[in-house]
Amino acid sequence: MLRNLLKSVTTRNLRCSIKNNGVTTNFVNQRSIAPLSTTELALKEEKVKVTFVLYDGKKLETEAKVGDTLLDVVVNNDLNIEGYGACEGTLTCSTCHVVLKKQDYDRLPEEACDEERDMLDLAYGLTDTSRLGCQITLTKDMDGLEVKVPETINDARS
Amino acid sequence: MRPKMTYKLLKRALSTSSYRSRPQVCIVGAGPAGFYAAMHLTKKLESVNIDILEKLPVPFGLIRYGVAPDHPEVKNVINQFTKVAQQPNVNFYGNITLGKDVHLHQLRQHYDAVLLSYGAEEDKTLGIENEDATNVVAARRFVGWYNGLPCDKDFKVDLSGRTAVILGQGNVALDVARILLMPIDELKKTDITEHALSALSESKLKEVYLVGRRGPLQVAFTIKELREQLKLKNCRTIWNEKDFIGVEKIVPDLPRPRKRLTELMLKSLNENQTVTDDDQIKYFKPVFFRSPNKFLVDKNNQLTGIELTCTKLVGDKLEEQRCVPTEEKDVINCDLAFRSIGYKSVQADKDLILKHGVVENNKGIVEDSAGLGKLYVAGWLGTGPVGVILHTMGNAFQVAKVMLENLNSIDSYNKGGFTEIKKIISENNSNVIDWGGWEKIDKYEKEQGKLKGKPREKVCSVEKMIEIAQK
């Protein structure tokens, strides 16, 4: 528990600092920064089930580590979602756009920051319950989470 | 098994030709559109062979040469493109110019499909008086210069004056403004070219105007870029209050993106708008409803200012409003002017027809004549220079989908691909750079960067690139 809490806090803080300090990083080294994997607890990683529903209705169901972001889940499980996570979780694109169910959206521990909203504003099919997958960190109580991945194709450019 | 399938397989198996019997696709231009299309095609059609031809010896187009040096995160997409290029059925061939080393009809003869994705490299001009004045420069060239584009390495810009005006209010305009106004110590940590860094460190510019023909509700830049500009250290943003009359009233009715962008401008407008004596502070001054009329010059054809025609918007519906000139004129005195009103594509090959700077197409299909490989277009060459990488990605996927349908409907694949093209090219170009060559250049640039505490120091000459790649 403590580990997950710590990890999610570390990851979160790191993400916030990405923008402000101009530090360049990506999800790969963010993961490596979490140093707690040497503890015994880490051997028993907590898993939750996550489902990505693609625009054509296809469902990608996968097991995911608690403490990972939805972007980590796509990358680590090599899920076939084209172009997902182009900027590697640095809040400079919106290719990891997901749409949540209202009840899931409302219980996310943190609201989207300005920078995330700025990116969402450029996404196709923006909804009131849209978030960036790189900013959603999985917690144990998110088991069974289902998110929609909107289509990245749109003729009507704004 | 369906009879048609059996026939197809049999035909392929019995093919005596030396060509690998797989669909041959040629992509011209190794920028985001080309790579995203290749990504889609390789995912959906395992048997495909893709050859990406590029004019420069190095890949990635505007990701490398357009994205501002202080936006390294945006360039992370290069990692995805690299994975595409490293697949065994994808080949990169750099230093090949369409229309010079090889012609379009030759590509179409030897490939099942040809996708043009060479972008929009030329800047649009204003066509007004004295545009040839010294110190009236293209934003595109300035961007190419600080990003190390070989053809812009000798570009000269005089930063010894006090005031610069950028004509245009898109993201390129904001990039230029930010690079001009940003503290030099922050730029030093980026992969900005050494020649640009040294010129910018001598810059005497104190204020940068950003002039737009239309109003705050029509700006083309996106909110991320504006937020960054507003947060810039030692820089204050001064708006023209009159430009915002009536805007606040409309805000609640705007769609979310436009609403948030407008709210950010209004918030900034309500912050400190005074000019101080502090020598350290620089000023960013967006100006709306002004259309450039002519550049003002002295007897040496040196820029002294810009005469602008004041404009107004007409029409009831916000989204249908048009911009019309008024009788009123305005002058901004300045020492330097950037033209940043968009890009247009060049006609790379004589067989290609461009209209208004783009290749006309229907869902990416340009031409389909019997016997020749189908011709497609993706990215800015087909859509015009609009949108961020995401939009180019969407377009490229869409065009690739159309290509897939057509490729799948071909009965037998018997095109020679690069085996044939190579024979044509080697007649007058023996310096084709493959992916391994790029990897050597990449390594060299990173090593050179390390010596200066930068992520990379780009090689800015094509000759030098070739030399490194062929070592």
Side-chain angles (χ1 to χ4, degrees):
Chain A
M1 268 306 277
L2 181 68
R3 183 190 148 252
N4 287 328
L5 190 73
L6 258 172
K7 190 174 175 189
S8 82
V9 169
T10 330
T11 324
R12 223 2 113 162
N13 289 345
L14 254 168
R15 288 226 166 77
C16 283
S17 64
I18 290 169
K19 290 293 296 176
N20 302 336
N21 302 338
V23 176
T24 65
T25 183
N26 58 41
F27 49 79
V28 178
N29 49 35
Q30 270 178 37
R31 270 203 311 277
S32 64
I33 284 165
L36 296 146
S37 55
T38 48
T39 64
E40 237 174 273
L41 262 173
L43 296 172
K44 280 185 275 167
E45 275 171 335
E46 288 181 275
K47 303 263 186 167
V48 288
K49 208 160 258 174
V50 180
T51 307
F52 294 85
V53 184
L54 305 189
Y55 63 91
D56 58 2
K58 198 168 149 194
K59 285 189 178 183
L60 305 173
E61 200 183 281
T62 186
E63 255 196 355
K65 266 188 280 177
V66 166
D68 273 1
T69 66
L70 287 182
L71 172 61
D72 293 332
V73 175
V74 171
V75 173
N76 295 343
N77 295 290
D78 206 14
L79 297 185
N80 189 6
I81 308 177
E82 230 174 13
Y84 201 82
C87 80
E88 304 186 344
T90 55
L91 276 180
T92 51
C93 78
S94 52
T95 55
C96 66
H97 177 202
V98 291
V99 177
L100 290 96
K101 288 181 186 146
K102 178 97 172 58
Q103 67 264 32
D104 293 327
Y105 181 87
D106 287 340
R107 65 195 182 107
L108 286 176
E110 278 166 76
E111 282 186 13
C113 62
D114 281 339
E115 283 74 15
E116 182 182 346
R117 285 172 203 265
D118 290 355
M119 283 300 119
L120 281 168
D121 280 356
L122 295 174
Y124 293 129
L126 178 68
T127 71
D128 290 338
T129 59
S130 286
R131 289 293 301 262
L132 293 182
C134 69
Q135 300 300 304
I136 298 174
T137 306
L138 292 170
T139 56
K140 213 178 160 187
D141 61 348
M142 287 186 191
D143 190 29
L145 181 72
E146 196 177 279
V147 300
K148 271 191 201 159
V149 182
E151 197 172 13
T152 51
I153 290 171
N154 192 336
D155 280 328
R157 291 186 173 188
S158 58
Chain B
M1 201 178 267
R2 283 169 298 165
K4 197 183 172 195
M5 279 283 285
T6 326
Y7 169 73
K8 241 191 193 180
L9 286 172
L10 199 69
K11 197 170 165 191
R12 266 185 239 174
L14 293 175
S15 168
T16 50
S17 118
S18 61
Y19 305 136
R20 287 166 295 174
S21 44
R22 38 165 59 191
Q24 296 286 346
V25 173
C26 178
I27 295 178
V28 182
F35 267 108
Y36 274 124
M39 184 188 285
H40 188 85
L41 290 172
T42 51
K43 259 193 185 146
K44 306 280 172 172
L45 190 64
E46 271 176 38
S47 65
V48 75
N49 181 75
I50 299 179
D51 297 329
I52 305 177
L53 273 48
E54 166 62 44
K55 186 164 88 173
L56 289 164
V58 296
F60 307 135
L62 280 186
I63 303 294
R64 180 179 159 100
Y65 290 117
V67 173
D70 61 327
H71 288 167
E73 308 88 1
V74 179
K75 300 187 201 186
N76 282 347
V77 71
I78 282 176
N79 297 331
Q80 285 191 0
F81 295 164
T82 298
K83 273 187 199 157
V84 172
Q86 283 170 342
Q87 294 176 96
N89 55 339
V90 177
N91 305 293
F92 170 79
Y93 299 113
N95 198 35
I96 296 174
T97 305
L98 174 66
K100 200 181 111 210
D101 296 317
V102 65
H103 292 281
L104 190 57
H105 69 91
Q106 293 168 321
L107 293 177
R108 295 184 66 194
Q109 192 184 336
H110 297 296
Y111 284 93
D112 294 298
V114 176
L115 173 67
L116 301 176
S117 56
Y118 65 78
E121 60 184 75
E122 212 164 70
D123 82 307
K124 279 185 185 153
T125 51
L126 291 154
I128 60 173
E129 209 177 313
N130 298 327
E131 203 164 341
D132 62 346
T134 317
N135 289 358
V136 175
V137 299
R140 197 213 68 71
R141 294 212 65 197
F142 183 69
V143 171
W145 172 73
Y146 68 61
N147 273 335
L149 189 65
C151 64
D152 294 326
K153 69 173 187 296
D154 298 319
F155 171 76
K156 292 278 176 284
V157 60
D158 177 3
L159 303 170
S160 64
R162 187 180 190 279
T163 306
V165 173
I166 301 167
L167 299 165
Q169 293 183 326
N171 280 341
V172 174
L174 270 193
D175 279 349
V176 170
R178 197 176 65 256
I179 296 294
L180 290 172
L181 294 166
M182 184 184 281
I184 199 78
D185 286 337
E186 286 182 34
L187 272 179
K188 272 181 193 160
K189 294 179 278 188
T190 72
D191 69 358
I192 189 167
T193 51
E194 211 53 32
H195 57 244
L197 193 62
S198 109
L200 286 163
S201 67
E202 305 275 301
S203 168
K204 296 282 182 288
L205 288 175
K206 289 300 276 179
E207 54 177 10
V208 174
Y209 285 89
L210 197 81
V211 176
R213 211 160 43 90
R214 298 182 294 171
L217 293 169
Q218 288 84 25
V219 287
F221 54 69
T222 50
I223 189 166
K224 172 193 179 253
E225 278 69 19
L226 177 64
R227 196 182 295 282
E228 244 177 322
Q229 177 61 47
L230 297 179
K231 279 184 178 170
L232 215 58
K233 232 196 255 170
N234 294 338
C235 184
R236 198 169 285 175
T237 302
I238 313 278
W239 306 87
N240 188 355
E241 212 165 326
K242 267 162 88 187
D243 291 342
F244 286 85
I245 292 171
V247 168
E248 207 156 349
K249 213 171 56 203
I250 304 167
V251 168
D253 303 325
L254 296 170
R256 171 176 151 173
R258 183 61 71 184
K259 184 178 171 192
R260 293 186 65 248
L261 177 58
T262 312
E263 281 171 347
L264 184 61
M265 287 190 269
L266 287 168
K267 181 171 166 262
S268 167
L269 174 70
N270 291 321
E271 282 165 4
N272 195 345
Q273 295 281 307
T274 51
V275 175
T276 73
D277 295 332
D278 189 339
D279 209 35
Q280 294 300 309
I281 303 287
K282 292 179 181 180
Y283 297 94
F284 173 61
K285 299 181 170 179
V287 174
F288 296 98
F289 302 114
R290 299 286 187 279
S291 174
N293 200 31
K294 66 175 175 193
F295 292 102
L296 307 172
V297 293
D298 64 14
K299 57 183 189 308
N300 299 320
N301 204 30
Q302 187 84 19
L303 183 73
T304 61
I306 306 174
E307 186 188 277
L308 304 145
T309 301
C310 301
T311 66
K312 62 175 183 188
L313 292 164
V314 291
D316 297 333
K317 268 196 186 158
L318 200 64
E319 53 274 24
E320 288 164 22
Q321 278 184 332
R322 280 181 311 112
C323 177
V324 294
T326 67
E327 297 292 309
E328 225 180 308
K329 295 268 191 290
D330 191 8
V331 168
I332 300 177
N333 295 318
C334 62
D335 311 284
L336 176 62
F338 293 88
R339 185 173 55 219
S340 182
I341 52 161
Y343 298 154
K344 59 185 178 189
S345 298
V346 296
Q347 184 197 23
D349 191 282
K350 61 177 172 25
D351 287 347
L352 211 53
I353 301 159
L354 272 83
K355 203 171 167 188
H356 305 301
V358 300
V359 171
E360 279 191 299
N361 64 94
N362 179 15
K363 286 182 181 154
I365 301 174
V366 181
E367 215 196 297
D368 181 11
S369 36
L372 288 175
K374 275 198 188 178
L375 187 62
Y376 304 86
V377 61
W380 281 6
L381 181 59
T383 64
V386 285
V388 296
I389 298 166
L390 176 85
H391 305 113
T392 292
M393 177 180 96
N395 173 258
F397 286 166
Q398 196 171 30
V399 175
K401 257 185 195 170
V402 176
M403 289 174 76
L404 268 179
E405 281 171 30
N406 293 332
L407 286 169
N408 279 325
S409 69
I410 296 174
D411 274 338
S412 72
Y413 304 115
N414 53 17
K415 300 286 185 152
F418 199 71
T419 315
E420 295 300 319
I421 295 302
K422 206 177 171 180
K423 294 175 197 161
I424 298 164
I425 289 169
S426 57
E427 281 170 22
N428 43 20
N429 176 354
S430 55
N431 295 318
V432 174
I433 307 300
D434 63 8
W435 195 257
W438 153 243
E439 282 175 335
K440 284 185 201 166
I441 298 169
D442 188 35
K443 188 166 165 258
Y444 177 88
E445 289 184 339
K446 283 177 178 162
E447 283 167 2
Q448 292 299 307
K450 219 172 190 181
L451 301 174
K452 293 170 188 155
K454 296 160 79 173
R456 169 190 303 276
E457 182 64 50
K458 288 180 192 162
V459 176
C460 304
S461 113
V462 169
E463 293 73 28
K464 177 88 179 161
M465 286 175 183
I466 294 169
E467 186 197 312
I468 297 165
Q470 291 181 340
K471 251 182 201 161

